Amino acid sequence: TVAETIKIYPNPAKNFIEIESIHAIDSWRVLDVLGKEVASSKYLVSSKNLVLDVSSFDVGLYFLEMEVDDQLVIKQLMVD
Protein backbone atom coordinates (compact mmCIF):
# COMPACT_ATOMS: atom_id res chain seq x y z
CA THR A 1 0.00 0.00 0.00
CA VAL A 2 0.95 3.64 -0.28
CA ALA A 3 1.31 3.97 3.50
CA GLU A 4 3.98 1.26 3.62
CA THR A 5 6.16 3.17 1.15
CA ILE A 6 6.41 6.29 3.35
CA LYS A 7 9.30 6.55 5.81
CA ILE A 8 9.45 9.07 8.66
CA TYR A 9 12.66 9.54 10.63
CA PRO A 10 13.93 10.14 13.21
CA ASN A 11 10.92 9.01 15.18
CA PRO A 12 10.93 10.02 18.01
CA ALA A 13 12.17 13.43 16.86
CA LYS A 14 13.57 16.48 18.63
CA ASN A 15 14.11 19.18 16.00
CA PHE A 16 13.00 17.93 12.61
CA ILE A 17 11.61 14.93 10.76
CA GLU A 18 12.33 13.77 7.26
CA ILE A 19 9.60 12.19 5.18
CA GLU A 20 10.49 10.01 2.21
CA SER A 21 7.95 8.61 -0.21
CA ILE A 22 8.11 6.97 -3.61
CA HIS A 23 4.82 8.78 -4.34
CA ALA A 24 4.32 12.56 -4.43
CA ILE A 25 2.95 14.06 -1.21
CA ASP A 26 0.30 16.60 -2.17
CA SER A 27 -0.48 17.97 1.30
CA TRP A 28 0.20 17.27 4.95
CA ARG A 29 -0.92 18.31 8.41
CA VAL A 30 0.16 17.47 11.94
CA LEU A 31 -2.50 16.88 14.59
CA ASP A 32 -2.06 16.57 18.34
CA VAL A 33 -3.72 13.73 20.27
CA LEU A 34 -6.89 15.81 20.65
CA GLY A 35 -7.15 16.28 16.88
CA LYS A 36 -6.09 19.94 16.91
CA GLU A 37 -4.05 20.96 13.87
CA VAL A 38 -0.61 22.24 14.89
CA ALA A 39 1.00 22.58 11.45
CA SER A 40 0.03 22.05 7.82
CA SER A 41 0.73 22.70 4.19
CA LYS A 42 -2.14 22.18 1.77
CA TYR A 43 -0.79 23.62 -1.44
CA LEU A 44 2.54 21.95 -1.99
CA VAL A 45 4.36 21.55 -5.19
CA SER A 46 4.10 17.78 -4.97
CA SER A 47 7.24 16.44 -3.39
CA LYS A 48 8.54 13.01 -2.49
CA ASN A 49 10.94 14.24 0.21
CA LEU A 50 10.04 16.71 2.92
CA VAL A 51 11.73 18.07 6.04
CA LEU A 52 9.46 19.39 8.79
CA ASP A 53 10.63 21.48 11.74
CA VAL A 54 9.09 20.09 14.94
CA SER A 55 11.37 21.95 17.38
CA SER A 56 8.51 24.20 18.55
CA PHE A 57 6.14 21.28 19.24
CA ASP A 58 5.41 20.18 22.81
CA VAL A 59 6.73 16.75 23.80
CA GLY A 60 4.21 14.05 22.99
CA LEU A 61 2.35 12.03 20.39
CA TYR A 62 1.18 13.54 17.10
CA PHE A 63 -0.46 12.25 13.95
CA LEU A 64 0.90 13.16 10.55
CA GLU A 65 -1.84 13.12 7.90
CA MET A 66 -0.69 13.17 4.29
CA GLU A 67 -2.55 13.14 1.01
CA VAL A 68 -0.63 10.85 -1.31
CA ASP A 69 -1.98 9.73 -4.70
CA ASP A 70 -5.51 10.74 -3.66
CA GLN A 71 -5.25 8.60 -0.51
CA LEU A 72 -5.18 9.78 3.09
CA VAL A 73 -2.21 8.29 4.95
CA ILE A 74 -1.86 8.73 8.72
CA LYS A 75 1.38 8.04 10.58
CA GLN A 76 2.22 8.43 14.27
CA LEU A 77 4.98 10.82 15.27
CA MET A 78 6.64 11.16 18.67
CA VAL A 79 8.34 14.40 19.67
CA ASP A 80 10.85 14.28 22.54
Side-chain angles (χ1 to χ4, degrees):
T1 66
V2 173
E4 293 170 345
T5 67
I6 298 172
K7 296 178 185 171
I8 300 172
Y9 58 90
N11 193 6
K14 290 187 186 296
N15 298 312
F16 67 92
I17 59 168
E18 292 190 44
I19 304 167
E20 289 183 358
S21 172
I22 62 171
H23 304 280
I25 300 167
D26 298 317
S27 66
W28 60 266
R29 66 186 193 148
V30 178
L31 307 172
D32 65 15
V33 292
L34 300 176
K36 179 182 169 194
E37 185 175 294
V38 294
S40 69
S41 180
K42 297 186 191 309
Y43 303 105
L44 294 176
V45 173
S46 292
S47 177
K48 295 181 180 182
N49 299 301
L50 301 173
V51 176
L52 305 181
D53 182 356
V54 297
S55 61
S56 64
F57 292 12
D58 292 334
V59 171
L61 176 65
Y62 294 85
F63 298 96
L64 176 61
E65 286 187 355
M66 296 165 282
E67 185 179 327
V68 182
D69 283 352
D70 295 321
Q71 295 183 37
L72 183 63
V73 175
I74 301 172
K75 298 275 191 172
Q76 288 186 357
L77 168 65
M78 285 295 301
V79 175
D80 280 344

